[in-house]
Amino acid sequence: PLLRRIYTKDFSHGGRFYVDQGKIQTMHQQDRRLITINDEACCEIDVCYMHPTIAYTEVGEKLDKDPYDYKIECDIDTFAIDKFKKKHKFDDYDPIRNLKKLIMLIAFNCESDRLSFAICDKLAQDKYKQVSKIDDTNKESLFVGLSDVKVNNAIANMKEHNCEISHVFGDDRSCFQFKDSLFMHNLLNYCLQEHVVVVPVHDSVICPISKKDIVEKFMRKAFADTFGSDMNLKVKIK
């Protein structure tokens, strides 16, 4: 398959890797578990807290907390959430956690004056997915059961909880999607040199189960080479 990098604005923004038209990168994580490479079952090795890990590492701070453990003020429809979980068999579905991750992702890659608008726009887009009659579209919804989100309060809470790196939020000069693409570029090079086939999915890679140990080793080396240290790097194998 054709592997390409897609940039935004210029060659210091974006740069993430996509296979063909991004079919694997946009695939639901449960569907990705069915992927095989050379007829071998695969696992997905995920970098935990990718962008916060990069930010804390770059400022030399130890990441010894959950960066997403900040307060979100909104109305929560637990009945709608339970119904959605049962319909799609998503036992671990957590719309509040999903929203916290989205807010941080946007804050790491968006200008300050557009931050609130960008978050509200994503929430609005998700509403369209929720009412879709097409299951493949409907199940991609991240924020089922949430309404009246106090976006500005959430941003303030996020910055306070992550005060060590609050200066990087909204700084368009530090595009973290570009930074994670540099890490992935190094990781893919290491795997290529050892003839290990992997598929990049932004902050994770899909690889044959038999290769997971060597791929995890390459991830640590690539992260340290890219950001100067792997002291905060934690990975999760799914």
Side-chain angles (χ1 to χ4, degrees), residues 177-237:
Q177 287 185 339
F178 175 69
K179 291 181 177 182
D180 70 44
S181 77
L182 295 178
F183 155 72
M184 188 58 66
H185 181 268
N186 288 333
L187 173 57
L188 293 177
N189 273 335
Y190 293 141
C191 291
L192 183 63
Q193 291 167 19
E194 295 297 326
H195 308 290
V196 177
V197 180
V198 298
V199 180
V201 192
H202 306 325
D203 58 357
S204 66
V205 290
I206 298 167
C207 71
I209 291 176
S210 63
K211 301 295 184 181
K212 64 182 178 64
D213 291 340
I214 191 170
V215 172
E216 182 178 346
K217 175 184 174 182
F218 288 156
M219 290 182 91
R220 296 191 177 280
K221 178 172 173 55
F223 196 91
D225 288 350
T226 309
F227 305 112
S229 170
D230 67 347
M231 66 176 183
N232 289 318
L233 182 65
K234 296 178 181 178
V235 301
K236 178 171 61 177
I237 299 176

Side-chain angles (χ1 to χ4, degrees), residues 150-196:
K150 304 297 189 294
V151 172
N152 287 330
N153 289 353
I155 294 170
N157 293 338
M158 175 198 66
K159 290 181 176 179
E160 181 179 359
H161 181 65
N162 295 280
C163 58
E164 300 91 340
I165 58 169
S166 61
H167 62 283
V168 305
F169 296 126
D171 182 0
D172 185 52
R173 295 167 298 178
S174 299
C175 178
F176 277 75
Q177 287 185 339
F178 175 69
K179 291 181 177 182
D180 70 44
S181 77
L182 295 178
F183 155 72
M184 188 58 66
H185 181 268
N186 288 333
L187 173 57
L188 293 177
N189 273 335
Y190 293 141
C191 291
L192 183 63
Q193 291 167 19
E194 295 297 326
H195 308 290
V196 177

Side-chain angles (χ1 to χ4, degrees), residues 29-178:
Q29 62 178 356
Q30 290 200 172
D31 296 330
R32 289 202 297 268
R33 294 173 184 171
L34 303 177
I35 291 173
T36 61
I37 294 177
N38 294 329
D39 295 327
E40 183 178 347
C42 293
C43 63
E44 188 168 349
I45 308 179
D46 179 57
V47 176
C48 302
Y49 321 131
M50 169 63 92
H51 289 171
T53 297
I54 294 173
Y56 276 89
T57 299
E58 288 189 328
V59 300
E61 292 282 349
K62 186 67 176 175
L63 178 54
D64 54 3
K65 60 187 174 185
D66 181 346
Y68 303 126
D69 189 22
Y70 60 92
K71 186 177 180 181
I72 293 278
E73 299 171 44
C74 65
D75 293 331
I76 303 174
D77 185 343
T78 55
F79 177 78
I81 295 172
D82 289 341
K83 181 179 178 181
F84 183 81
K85 290 170 68 173
K86 291 177 181 177
K87 177 182 178 181
H88 296 293
K89 299 179 181 179
F90 291 166
D91 295 336
D92 298 328
Y93 186 79
D94 186 348
I96 290 288
R97 182 80 174 179
N98 292 341
L99 180 56
K100 291 177 178 180
K101 290 182 177 180
L102 175 86
I103 291 173
M104 287 199 78
L105 172 66
I106 294 176
F108 276 119
N109 296 280
C110 179
E111 302 94 330
S112 292
D113 58 354
R114 294 189 61 252
L115 184 52
S116 294
F117 170 80
I119 294 169
C120 290
D121 184 54
K122 290 292 186 181
L123 288 169
Q125 291 178 31
D126 198 74
K127 289 294 184 183
Y128 283 103
K129 292 181 181 179
Q130 292 177 32
V131 299
S132 173
K133 303 300 182 183
I134 304 172
D135 278 353
D136 281 349
T137 300
N138 181 265
K139 76 177 184 180
E140 294 295 332
S141 188
L142 296 173
F143 316 121
V144 169
L146 306 187
S147 59
D148 194 25
V149 179
K150 304 297 189 294
V151 172
N152 287 330
N153 289 353
I155 294 170
N157 293 338
M158 175 198 66
K159 290 181 176 179
E160 181 179 359
H161 181 65
N162 295 280
C163 58
E164 300 91 340
I165 58 169
S166 61
H167 62 283
V168 305
F169 296 126
D171 182 0
D172 185 52
R173 295 167 298 178
S174 299
C175 178
F176 277 75
Q177 287 185 339
F178 175 69

